[in-house]
Amino acid sequence: MRILSAESMREVDRTVIEDLGIPSMVLMENAAIGVVDAIGEIYEEAESAVIFCGPGNNGGDGLAIARHLAVRGYEVRIFLMTYRPDRDQRGLRGDAEVQLGICRRQGLHIQDIESEGDLVEALEYARESDVIVDALFGTGLSRPLDGLFAELVEELNDLDVPRVSVDLPSGLNGSRSTPLGPHVQADLTVTFAAPKMAHVFPPASEAVGELVVADLGIPPELVDEVEEEGGALYLIREEELADLLPPREPGTHKGDYGHALVVAGSSGKAGAAILACRAAVRAGAGLVTAAVPEPILNLVDLGSIESMTLGLPCRVSGQLTESAADRVLAAAEGKTVLALGPGLGQEDETAEAIRRIALETDLPLVLDADGVNAFAGRAGELKSRSDRGMETLLTPHPGELGRLLGIPTAEVQNDRLGSVRRAAAETGAVVILKGYRTLVATPEGEINVNPTGNPGMASGGTGDVLAGLLAGLVAQGLEALDAALLGVYLHGLAGDLAAVEHGEVGLAAGDLVGFLPAAFQELADDDE
């Protein structure tokens, strides 16, 4: 599903109105029906609603919502806030003015808010209502709310009444992930045609509550094809992933599901190899071999009994020597995918071995953790793999991505979209930037946003699980992008299922491995 900025959504609206000839009033009516349907479904017991309408088209949507609620039997009261000091404008224009006229002729109760006294009265009615509808401002707001508008939203947030925002909680801008200032904290937001950036990216998204995307009757291709500066953004949805699940056909055997070679671990970090291998097995790889430094061979044998092991030469420190690259490259013969990096360490000789393996192997490559660190400041070297037609998946957290690009971690976090897009372009790889709202970027500039996962996953080893999960999916024949989309979604879903069972606090990486089969099954069941 596309994620649009406020500007690109305006372009879609313009195309629909001017090129297709669908009247803007029809779009307003469809928007209102979408909101009313959502209220009826989510707040089944509600019988009354107070609607706060602002001075623009969002206020017009609110008036149309009030009409449809009244027709369905709700007790409705409308409060208008139409004075805009910044524009020296009072009253409504265009479609919103038409909607106001219909509401008056329909006999709905309408009051203006122009003073503190008006505001106090409106809040009394809101306090006694079953639902509050926020139709003050939409996605294009460009300045912080002030005056009575700011006072109203702050007072509404203190009421123990469900708040339903139309298109976007008032006080946010659809194209920005940071609130402009005072804003509504919605319990439900109903937007139209596609989610906007503020619905998806924190901290603005934390004000959205439950998000419903209502149909406006806009042809989907207009949303899919609208251009976005920098590249298209998509929200990963489970209904688009189920077909990617590797099938398990009767009569098949382990050789039909690929052989993953996992190069991981060092002294003190055997767990990284164990978690990655267990995740690859749980993901469905037919065979998994753990290639690890000799001193931790027995630990990995005991910790991941379903996988095979291969010992690698290492230094006294327990990290790989450069000669380990020869053994790994030889072992890669006949394998399906190579996962490289979890827990390997960052000594110079180890980093050199990692670079040799990554650049010389002809296997699809999942490059994680210290595998990414080995290319710090050398991102362009990985481009040679895509030039040879080899698929690469990078799985950095923000610090690792910063090292890869030679920029501070804070700069990555301040511009996650730009940073991951740059990394994918420079490396020719599919890049997964981990974190809240994990991002999956392609070399062509497309970015997909993952909605699953929770704060309990902020614990050691969860990244190793993701690396193994991705390797297991690629082993079964998935292309890099498909494996990335399916993998990050299932990884987060396993975390969500584990959090339901164990709570977010104290969630361990091993819990994620244990819940991977349930995540696969839930996705398969939802498809059915």
Side-chain angles (χ1 to χ4, degrees):
M1 174 185 284
R2 278 293 298 272
I3 301 168
L4 301 182
S5 63
E7 296 76 17
S8 57
M9 187 66 222
R10 281 197 293 270
E11 177 60 22
V12 171
D13 286 339
R14 185 203 64 76
T15 302
V16 170
I17 294 166
E18 296 180 8
D19 296 352
L20 292 187
I22 298 177
S24 57
M25 184 63 82
V26 171
L27 298 179
M28 187 172 283
E29 287 292 300
N30 290 346
I33 292 169
V35 175
V36 172
D37 286 345
I39 291 173
E41 181 177 343
I42 295 171
Y43 303 110
E44 296 180 7
E45 304 300 319
E47 296 179 348
S48 63
V50 168
I51 298 94
F52 290 91
C53 299
N57 282 336
N58 198 251
D61 291 338
L63 290 163
I65 290 163
R67 289 176 33 236
H68 286 282
L69 284 172
V71 167
R72 298 192 190 189
Y74 291 78
E75 180 185 342
V76 171
R77 189 174 288 264
I78 301 167
F79 289 96
L80 294 177
M81 295 187 71
T82 62
Y83 179 52
R84 290 288 298 270
D86 58 316
R87 301 182 184 177
D88 193 25
Q89 173 184 315
R90 187 182 302 275
L92 297 170
R93 303 287 187 273
D95 291 343
E97 185 178 20
V98 173
Q99 291 286 359
L100 178 59
I102 299 172
C103 287
R104 292 193 190 282
R105 291 188 290 275
Q106 193 173 327
L108 301 184
H109 188 101
I110 304 170
Q111 291 177 247
D112 290 298
I113 298 178
E114 295 186 349
S115 67
E116 288 282 350
D118 296 334
L119 183 59
V120 170
E121 182 180 358
L123 290 168
E124 285 302 315
Y125 280 107
R127 184 174 289 108
E128 300 303 320
S129 68
D130 295 327
V131 173
I132 295 168
V133 177
D134 156 37
L136 294 171
F137 294 97
T139 60
L141 185 70
S142 59
R143 54 178 289 178
L145 298 181
D146 56 15
L148 286 178
F149 288 109
E151 187 174 346
L152 172 60
V153 302
E154 290 173 343
E155 292 286 350
L156 290 180
N157 289 339
D158 289 336
L159 297 183
D160 188 23
V161 180
R163 293 172 292 277
V164 179
S165 287
V166 179
D167 210 3
L168 190 70
S170 293
L172 304 181
N173 176 284
S175 300
R176 295 179 53 169
S177 62
T178 303
L180 298 169
H183 56 279
V184 171
Q185 288 284 342
D187 298 290
L188 168 67
T189 298
V190 183
T191 193
F192 312 113
K196 315 308 180 295
M197 295 176 72
H199 295 129
V200 177
F201 296 108
S205 62
E206 295 166 4
V208 169
E210 182 177 351
L211 179 65
V212 171
V213 181
D215 180 19
L216 284 183
I218 294 175
E221 59 269 19
L222 294 185
V223 175
D224 291 338
E225 294 170 3
V226 67
E227 293 186 2
E228 193 76 72
E229 184 178 355
L233 288 173
Y234 294 88
L235 184 65
I236 301 173
R237 296 195 302 169
E238 65 179 35
E239 53 265 41
E240 298 169 351
L241 296 177
D243 288 343
L244 299 179
L245 289 170
R248 309 292 286 193
E249 300 293 344
T252 54
H253 56 82
K254 61 188 178 185
D256 295 319
Y257 298 106
H259 191 159
L261 177 62
V262 179
V263 183
S266 57
S267 293
K269 295 182 179 178
I274 293 168
L275 288 167
C277 288
R278 289 178 59 202
V281 170
R282 287 296 196 181
L287 293 166
V288 177
T289 293
V292 300
E294 291 280 2
I296 65 170
L297 195 64
N298 290 337
L299 286 173
V300 176
D301 261 332
L302 291 170
S304 179
I305 60 174
E306 299 91 350
S307 58
M308 298 171 283
T309 51
L310 171 68
L312 300 176
C314 64
R315 297 166 57 83
V316 174
S317 63
Q319 295 188 24
L320 299 182
T321 63
E322 187 176 349
S323 63
D326 295 318
R327 189 170 297 183
V328 171
L329 291 169
E333 293 294 327
K335 304 299 189 296
T336 316
V337 61
L338 173 63
L340 176 64
L344 286 176
Q346 300 181 48
E347 292 183 358
D348 290 346
E349 191 172 357
T350 302
E352 180 60 35
I354 291 170
R355 287 192 291 270
R356 268 200 62 203
I357 295 166
L359 298 179
E360 293 182 24
T361 183
D362 289 330
L363 293 178
L365 176 67
V366 178
L367 196 63
D368 177 59
D370 290 325
V372 178
N373 288 329
F375 287 89
R378 310 167 72 146
E381 293 181 15
L382 286 165
K383 187 69 164 50
S384 64
R385 285 187 48 84
S386 63
D387 292 342
R388 291 161 46 213
M390 297 291 104
E391 289 199 313
T392 308
L393 263 168
L394 303 184
T395 61
H397 59 52
E400 291 159 355
L401 188 66
R403 288 190 283 274
L404 180 71
L405 297 176
I407 60 177
T409 303
E411 188 173 331
V412 172
Q413 290 294 71
N414 289 336
D415 184 14
R416 284 172 60 86
L417 293 174
S419 298
V420 74
R421 189 173 273 134
R422 173 187 162 191
E426 290 187 13
T427 62
V430 173
V431 180
I432 297 172
L433 177 55
K434 295 180 287 195
Y436 182 47
R437 294 288 186 261
T438 290
L439 305 176
V440 179
T442 70
E444 295 74 29
E446 173 187 304
I447 296 178
N448 295 269
V449 185
N450 181 49
T452 61
N454 62 79
M457 297 172 67
S459 63
T462 56
D464 305 321
V465 173
L466 178 61
L469 170 58
L470 295 169
L473 294 173
V474 174
Q476 295 169 83
L478 269 69
E479 295 183 355
L481 178 58
D482 288 343
L485 299 178
L486 183 58
V488 298
Y489 188 91
L490 289 168
H491 183 250
L493 180 57
D496 292 339
L497 295 173
V500 171
E501 182 76 18
H502 302 298
E504 291 180 355
V505 178
L507 185 62
D511 296 327
L512 297 189
V513 176
F515 277 90
L516 280 177
F520 275 86
Q521 191 59 53
E522 181 163 313
L523 187 57
D525 289 344
D526 287 342
D527 182 48
E528 294 173 1

